[in-house]
């Protein structure tokens, strides 16, 4: 509360008739975590000194005062200190920055010090831009970009090369730009390394993902040697070597012949006429060759008659022993076409489920599908098979499944659903612009079987997910099915989430809906897997669920402390046209997942809304405090707000549960004149004792469409991909990697080393529990990196594993 300050008259003769002079003024400071900071000022001559923070006087009881005398002038000196806590700064967040200044009195008047600003220091976790791996030729320039995370104070940036500090002062070939990019003027072989951008301030130190830079050298021919002497065949030759320079680090070999021959023109060369003995020799050789050809033809005919009963479509097994070529081939320099093109075998009878596909009970053990009836492991129930044409269209598929109990609740539109027909080659289902996909790896479906599989995104109001206590929904609710199928290999379901995960703040569980409609915990993240049927890889903004049983899934978290936070996406919309004086600004507070943003964009398109600011991310804490929204700095001569209170609130539990996806507040404004088209204001969104965000709105409501690009979906693609087109890794190369890395290798050169190089070593126990650990690693790589994954990086990692054990791959293969 504001305190009135009474200035006492100084005692007679206490100080000369001078204005106070500050010897020490308060300086800007940063609050780190929850530590209080101290502000101090010193003035002479002064009878009283008080602190004033954000226009309010600090209570005298909070001052620590010291008196002394200046030795040089003999004037009295007064020094005052106060402490400022994080709670004081957060209490006024959303209005202006927190500042303090000193006011000193003497008999001649008052003097004010400079303002000192108190800011809460932080450093975000995610880099705005990270360096990316590259392959460059020698002497080519390299620029590795790095935009550090947002922070106060701004982060300092340094670069590491193979974990050692890069010092531009010691290497003239290296310098760092003012935008923090690392520049190598001319790439050298010694520059082949892993580069990491490190951002740090007084709060924390963050590391970017490492970027592998490979500097390669293309081979070049040496000079031709001198021509040899003329030989008996009237020819002589010369040679050259691919050694100036020799190819390095996967560079291209020299093109052209190593040996050059030509006829001699020397007079010393004579041609001898063939004699009778030579003619007889040639005739004998021709006769022997004819006999061998006849014997070979007879052998082939006999063999074909004996093997006549074999299937003519059996493939030559030699194709599986092809060299492992792609590990060092750069796409821009590849001369060979695609190594493999396999079309799905649609001649097999399609099998479509016509009844409830839920097993009577889910056994804890892993079930194996036999070669017989498709539904045999599911017990004796109401299961029949319907044989249909393999060329059935999607509309017929939906019509057939729409009569079944497990499909009735699914939406009929294509926006939130994808489906396709798959066989042993596997494939992928995707719901565009949602981040939701289902990867069906090769051999997950038994050979000779064809499954019709669907993937569906549910709206929260369609599915009842009960939450208790501090539980909150962290992901969309997704179904994949048919739900009763038990695959022979785990499929991978990818979906976004909005949690800032940490072991000390969160307990996160994967929930699955049973056939009876109840939700059950099937996996607790961070703990040992309770079953071999499920596993989850949680990343910064997405999770990847390994499941051998299809069904309905959701990610649910329970906060363990008030420091637990969820990511909210704040989005501002307003009408694209304003024929009346009234104008509305809608502020959406959404869970930070792609599917929710997609729904809001579609909703606003129907309402005729336009985006009026770039979306922001806010970390919403489990502090039981509501979310507040306010509008400020609006020109009163042109606009007025119809909001009666100083701010609006969204209740904490409405946001924390995650079950109400489209929460928003509307600010209703009124123009004082129809000619007013320029709107300038600030909108604050904050949580008491939490993070906050501000939007500076400044645009023309009649014609400004600068943010319209946000309304265009940035992800396009086919909802269903079948066979090799659904995977980045060619099928034969995949089989080569699996057969080479699954067995334990010498010096540890096996799948464990590959997992470490791909930063997946925290999941070794899960990979080891599967029949093919390497296949699990490659499947996860496919799920994480499709369609924009860098196959060269994976090839380089596999090649490094191969170099540890020469028995894996030959030098030519790598």
């Amino acid at each position: 509360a504001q305190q009135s300050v009474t200035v006492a008259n100084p005692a007679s003769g206490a100080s000369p008739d001078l204005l106070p002079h500050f010897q020490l003024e308060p300086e800007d400071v940063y609050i780190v975590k929850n530590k209080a900071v101290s502000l101090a000022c010193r003035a002479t001559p002064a009878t009283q000194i008080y602190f004033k923070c954000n226009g309010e006087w600090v209570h005298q009881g909070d001052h620590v005062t010291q008196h002394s005398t200046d030795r040089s002038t003999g004037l009295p000196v007064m020094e005052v200190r106060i402490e400022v806590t994080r709670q004081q700064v957060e209490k006024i967040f959303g209005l202006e920055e927190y500042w303090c200044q000193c006011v000193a009195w003497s008999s001649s008047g008052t003097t004010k010090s400079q303002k000192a600003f108190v800011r809460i220091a932080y450093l975000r976790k995610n880099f705005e831009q990270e360096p990316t791996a590259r392959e460059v030729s020698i002497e080519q320039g390299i620029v590795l970009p790095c935009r550090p995370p947002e922070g106060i104070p701004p982060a300092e940036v340094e670069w590491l090369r193979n974990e050692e500090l890069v010092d531009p002062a010691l290497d003239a070939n290296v310098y760092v730009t003012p935008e923090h990019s690392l520049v190598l003027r001319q790439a050298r072989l010694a520059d082949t390394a892993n580069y990491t951008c490190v951002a740090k301030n007084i709060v924390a130190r963050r590391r970017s993902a490492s970027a592998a830079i490979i500097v390669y050298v293309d081979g070049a021919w040496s000079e031709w040697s001198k021509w040899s002497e003329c030989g008996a065949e009237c020819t002589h030759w010369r040679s050259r070597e691919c050694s100036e320079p020799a190819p390095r680090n996967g560079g291209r070999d020299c093109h052209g012949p190593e040996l050059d021959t030509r006829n001699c023109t020397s007079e010393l060369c004579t041609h001898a006429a063939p004699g009778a003995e030579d003619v007889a020799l040639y005739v004998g050789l021709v006769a022997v060759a004819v006999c061998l050809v006849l014997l070979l033809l007879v052998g082939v005919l006999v063999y074909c008659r004996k093997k006549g009963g074999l299937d003519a479509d059996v493939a030559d097994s030699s194709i599986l022993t092809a060299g492992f070529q792609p590990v060092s081939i750069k796409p821009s320099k590849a001369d060979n076409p695609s190594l493999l093109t396999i079309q799905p075998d649609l001649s097999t009878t399609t099998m479509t489920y016509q009844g409830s596909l839920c097993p009577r009970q889910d056994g804890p053990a892993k079930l194996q599908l036999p070669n017989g009836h498709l539904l045999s492991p599911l017990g004796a129930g109401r299961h029949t098979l319907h044989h249909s044409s393999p060329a059935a269209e999607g509309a017929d598929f939906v019509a057939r499944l729409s009569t079944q109990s497990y499909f009735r609740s699914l939406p009929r539109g294509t926006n939130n659903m994808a489906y396709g027909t798959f066989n042993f080659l596997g494939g992928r289902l995707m719901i565009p612009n949602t981040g939701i996909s289902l990867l069906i790896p090769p051999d997950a479906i038994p050979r000779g079987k064809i499954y019709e599989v669907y993937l569906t995104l549910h709206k929260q109001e369609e599915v009842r997910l009960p939450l208790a206590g501090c539980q909150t929904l962290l992901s969309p609710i997704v179904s994949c099915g048919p739900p009763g199928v038990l695959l022979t290999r785990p499929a991978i379901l990818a979906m976004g989430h909005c949690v800032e995960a940490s072991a000390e703040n969160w307990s996160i569980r994967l929930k699955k809906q049973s056939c009876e409609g109840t939700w059950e915990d099937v996996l607790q993240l961070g703990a040992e897997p309770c079953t071999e049927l499920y596993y989850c890889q949680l990343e910064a903004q997405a999770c990847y669920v390994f499941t051998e049983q299809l069904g309905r899934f959701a990610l649910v978290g329970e906060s363990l402390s008030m420091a637990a936070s969820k990511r909210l996406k704040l989005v501002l919309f307003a009408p694209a046209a304003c024929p009346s004086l009234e104008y509305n600004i809608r502020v959406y507070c959404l869970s930070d997942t792609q599917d929710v943003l997609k729904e809001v964009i579609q909703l606003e398109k129907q309402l005729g809304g336009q985006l009026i600011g770039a979306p922001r991310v806010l970390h919403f804490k489990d502090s039981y405090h509501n979310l507040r929204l306010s509008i400020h700095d609006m020109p009163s001569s042109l606009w007025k707000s119809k909001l009666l209170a100083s701010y609006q609130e969204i209740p904490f539990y409405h946001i924390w549960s995650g079950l109400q996806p489209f929460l928003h507040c509307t600010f209703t404004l009124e123009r004082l004149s129809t000619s007013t088209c320029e709107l300038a204001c600030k909108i604050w969104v904050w949580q008491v004792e939490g993070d906050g965000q501000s939007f500076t709105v400044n645009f023309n409501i009649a014609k400004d469409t600068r943010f319209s690009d946000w309304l265009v979906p940035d992800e396009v693609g086919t909802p269903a991909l079948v066979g090799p087109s659904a995977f980045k890794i060619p099928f034969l190369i995949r089989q080569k990697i699996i057969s080479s890395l699954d067995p334990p290798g010498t010096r540890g050169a096996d799948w464990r080393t590959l997992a470490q190089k791909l930063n997946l070593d925290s999941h070794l126990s899960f990979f080891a529990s599967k029949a093919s650990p390497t296949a699990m690693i490659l499947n996860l790589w496919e799920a994480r990196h499709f369609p924009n994954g860098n196959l060269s990086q994976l090839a380089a990692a596999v090649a490094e594993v191969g170099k540890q054990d020469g028995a894996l791959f030959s030098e030519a293969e790598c």
Side-chain angles (χ1 to χ4, degrees):
Q2 185 165 341
Q3 173 190 350
S4 61
V5 176
T6 304
V7 181
N9 291 326
S12 177
S15 62
D17 197 13
L18 296 174
L19 283 174
H21 170 69
F22 282 100
Q23 296 178 339
L24 174 66
E25 296 188 70
E27 297 180 347
D28 294 351
V29 290
Y30 299 97
I31 295 178
V32 179
K33 296 183 179 178
N34 291 320
K35 296 180 180 179
V37 295
S38 178
L39 297 177
C41 60
R42 186 189 309 122
T44 180
T47 57
Q48 286 184 350
I49 299 178
Y50 280 91
F51 269 94
K52 197 176 194 178
C53 295
N54 282 78
E56 297 183 359
W57 295 104
V58 179
H59 194 277
Q60 186 176 4
D62 296 331
H63 291 68
V64 178
T65 306
Q66 291 181 349
H67 295 275
S68 61
T69 302
D70 192 318
R71 295 182 180 180
S72 60
T73 62
L75 297 176
V77 178
M78 178 179 290
E79 182 174 332
V80 176
R81 291 179 178 271
I82 65 169
E83 284 195 347
V84 179
T85 65
R86 183 187 183 102
Q87 288 75 14
Q88 291 174 267
V89 177
E90 289 180 336
K91 189 175 297 183
I92 61 97
F93 184 86
L95 302 175
E96 57 182 326
E97 288 190 292
Y98 193 96
W99 58 266
C100 294
Q101 69 177 157
C102 289
V103 182
W105 283 267
S106 73
S107 59
S108 299
T110 62
T111 303
K112 294 182 179 180
S113 71
Q114 65 181 6
K115 288 184 177 180
F117 290 91
V118 182
R119 300 178 176 92
I120 297 176
Y122 67 90
L123 185 62
R124 303 289 187 201
K125 292 183 179 180
N126 298 327
F127 281 71
E128 295 184 7
Q129 185 178 13
E130 295 184 284
T132 55
R134 294 181 58 189
E135 294 185 7
V136 298
S137 62
I138 195 166
E139 297 185 354
Q140 180 180 340
I142 305 175
V143 179
L144 292 175
C146 176
R147 293 174 60 191
E150 177 188 352
I152 293 179
E156 299 178 356
V157 171
E158 61 185 20
W159 284 88
L160 302 179
R161 177 195 286 131
N162 287 343
E163 301 304 320
E164 294 184 1
L165 183 64
V166 177
D167 189 356
L170 302 178
D171 189 350
N173 191 48
V174 177
Y175 72 93
V176 179
T177 68
E179 294 78 23
H180 310 299
S181 297
L182 180 67
V183 178
L184 305 179
R185 292 183 172 90
Q186 291 184 323
R188 304 159 297 190
L189 287 175
D191 293 324
T192 297
N194 290 321
Y195 290 83
T196 308
C197 180
V198 179
K200 60 182 180 179
N201 66 3
I202 61 177
V203 178
R205 174 187 173 97
R206 312 288 189 205
R207 291 167 55 96
S208 72
S210 295
I213 299 299
I214 298 177
V215 182
Y216 62 86
V217 179
D218 292 331
W221 292 112
S222 63
E223 295 285 340
W224 286 102
S225 65
K226 294 182 179 180
W227 288 100
S228 67
E229 296 181 358
C230 193
E233 300 297 330
C234 294
T235 60
H236 59 174
W237 55 270
R238 61 178 181 174
S239 64
R240 57 181 179 176
E241 295 181 351
C242 187
S243 60
E244 295 185 4
R248 299 283 297 275
N249 292 344
R252 289 180 298 184
D253 290 329
C254 302
H255 293 285
E258 297 182 11
L259 191 67
D260 183 22
T261 61
R262 69 181 183 183
N263 291 332
C264 297
T265 57
S266 171
E267 296 178 356
L268 299 177
C269 181
T270 59
H271 295 274
E277 296 179 357
D278 296 334
V279 172
L281 177 64
Y282 295 149
V283 171
L285 291 175
V286 170
V288 170
V290 170
C291 292
L292 290 176
V293 170
L294 291 176
L295 288 174
L296 181 61
L297 290 175
V298 172
V300 170
L301 291 175
V302 172
Y303 178 80
C304 291
R305 288 187 178 183
K306 290 182 178 181
K307 301 295 182 179
L310 295 180
D311 188 355
D313 293 333
V314 177
D316 184 2
S317 63
S318 64
I319 192 173
L320 297 178
T321 60
F324 180 56
Q325 299 297 330
V327 292
S328 62
I329 295 179
K330 291 171 279 296
S332 60
K333 298 183 286 184
D335 298 325
N336 296 330
S338 176
L339 297 179
L340 177 66
T341 302
I342 301 179
Q343 296 298 327
D345 181 13
L346 297 181
S347 61
T348 310
T349 304
T350 301
M351 300 187 180
T352 304
Y353 302 101
Q354 294 296 328
S356 173
L357 293 184
C358 290
R360 295 188 175 183
Q361 59 182 4
D362 292 338
K366 177 179 177 181
L367 300 179
Q368 297 292 336
L369 287 180
N371 294 327
H373 197 284
L374 176 65
L375 296 177
S376 56
L378 302 180
R382 295 182 296 104
H383 306 304
T384 58
L385 289 179
H386 172 74
H387 299 271
S388 61
S389 170
E393 298 180 352
D396 298 333
F397 167 65
V398 174
R400 291 196 306 271
L401 293 185
S402 62
T403 62
Q404 309 310 319
S405 60
Y406 63 86
F407 202 73
R408 285 174 184 162
S409 61
L410 299 180
R412 300 297 182 263
T414 58
N415 289 336
N416 293 328
M417 182 179 179
Y419 53 86
T421 304
F422 302 93
N423 62 2
F424 74 95
L425 292 174
R428 186 187 308 263
L429 291 175
M430 296 176 292
I431 303 178
N433 303 307
T434 64
I436 298 172
S437 65
L438 179 68
L439 177 74
I440 305 172
D443 293 323
I445 297 175
R447 292 177 180 257
K449 309 292 184 183
I450 290 182
Y451 290 175
E452 291 178 329
V453 183
Y454 64 83
L455 179 67
T456 302
L457 166 65
H458 295 278
K459 296 181 179 180
Q460 280 87 339
E461 60 268 21
E462 297 173 348
V463 179
R464 185 177 181 273
L465 175 61
L467 299 175
C470 299
Q471 290 184 343
T472 174
L473 181 63
L474 301 176
S475 74
I477 302 175
V478 180
S479 290
C480 52
V485 175
L486 187 64
L487 303 173
T488 59
R489 300 284 190 276
I492 301 180
L493 175 64
M495 55 187 177
H497 67 79
C498 61
V499 63
E500 291 294 312
S502 57
E504 64 275 11
N505 295 331
W506 283 101
S507 172
I508 302 176
R509 291 178 170 84
L510 178 68
K511 286 183 175 288
K512 181 175 183 286
Q513 192 174 30
S514 67
C515 296
E516 292 76 19
T518 59
W519 287 89
E520 302 171 349
D521 294 339
V522 294
L523 183 67
Q524 181 174 356
L525 276 64
E528 289 298 324
C530 57
T531 173
E532 293 183 355
L533 297 179
Y534 308 100
Y535 193 76
C536 184
Q537 153 82 353
L538 187 69
E539 298 189 352
Q541 294 185 329
C543 64
Y544 301 90
V545 178
F546 290 79
T547 175
E548 297 185 18
Q549 288 187 343
L550 303 183
R552 184 172 296 171
F553 296 94
L555 204 63
V556 172
E558 182 174 358
S559 62
L560 303 179
S561 71
M562 295 179 64
S565 65
K566 294 174 56 175
R567 293 190 315 274
L568 299 184
K569 182 80 78 175
L570 306 179
V571 194
L572 271 61
F573 281 93
C578 182
S580 65
L581 295 176
E582 192 173 276
Y583 195 73
N584 295 322
I585 297 179
R586 293 180 289 276
V587 184
Y588 288 88
C589 304
L590 315 171
S591 296
D592 187 17
T593 55
Q594 293 184 40
D595 58 293
V596 180
L597 183 60
K598 171 190 174 182
E599 292 290 336
V600 169
I601 290 176
Q602 293 176 346
L603 175 63
E604 282 293 332
K605 281 184 176 180
Q606 298 174 359
L607 298 176
Q610 65 170 335
L611 197 66
I612 61 172
R616 303 285 184 86
V617 174
L618 182 141
H619 296 273
F620 190 77
K621 295 183 178 180
D622 184 19
S623 62
Y624 302 100
H625 290 99
N626 300 337
L627 193 69
R628 294 181 178 179
L629 302 92
S630 59
I631 188 167
H632 305 276
D633 301 341
M634 191 167 48
S636 58
S637 59
L638 301 176
W639 295 83
K640 70 176 182 179
S641 172
K642 290 190 173 183
L643 184 66
L644 300 179
S646 58
Y647 58 83
Q648 300 186 70
E649 282 191 334
I650 299 179
F652 168 81
Y653 286 105
H654 289 185
I655 298 176
W656 189 255
S657 68
L659 298 177
Q660 301 185 38
F662 307 138
L663 292 171
H664 69 278
C665 282
T666 301
F667 291 97
T668 302
L669 312 179
E670 184 177 357
R671 294 185 290 174
L672 301 183
S673 171
T674 54
S675 61
T676 301
C677 293
E678 296 294 332
L679 175 60
C681 62
K682 286 186 177 181
I683 294 179
W684 293 90
V685 184
W686 79 99
Q687 183 187 18
V688 179
E689 299 185 5
D691 289 341
Q693 289 285 4
S694 65
F695 293 84
T696 300
V697 178
N698 191 348
F699 75 110
N700 188 305
I701 66 175
K703 56 184 178 181
D704 196 341
T705 59
R706 77 185 84 164
F707 298 103
S708 58
D709 293 342
W710 281 89
L711 301 180
V712 180
D714 57 358
E715 178 186 344
V716 293
T718 306
L721 295 173
V722 179
S725 63
F727 304 96
K728 294 281 290 184
I729 308 172
F731 184 80
L732 293 184
I733 301 304
R734 170 191 171 90
Q735 297 302 109
K736 176 76 173 183
I737 299 174
I738 293 173
S739 61
S740 301
L741 299 186
D742 269 350
T746 60
R747 292 175 292 180
D750 54 19
W751 62 269
R752 296 174 180 83
T753 307
L754 178 62
Q756 293 173 356
K757 293 186 178 299
L758 298 178
N759 298 321
L760 299 175
D761 45 329
S762 60
H763 311 295
L764 292 181
S765 60
F766 168 70
F767 296 146
S769 68
K770 299 303 178 183
S772 174
T774 310
M776 295 298 101
I777 296 173
L778 299 181
N779 293 343
L780 180 56
W781 188 91
E782 290 278 8
R784 296 168 65 192
H785 296 90
F786 190 87
N788 300 319
N790 190 335
L791 195 59
S792 300
Q793 290 185 4
L794 176 64
V798 175
E800 289 181 16
V801 178
K803 290 177 183 177
Q804 297 183 17
D805 187 351
L808 290 181
F809 308 109
S810 67
E811 184 67 24
E813 289 176 325
C814 291

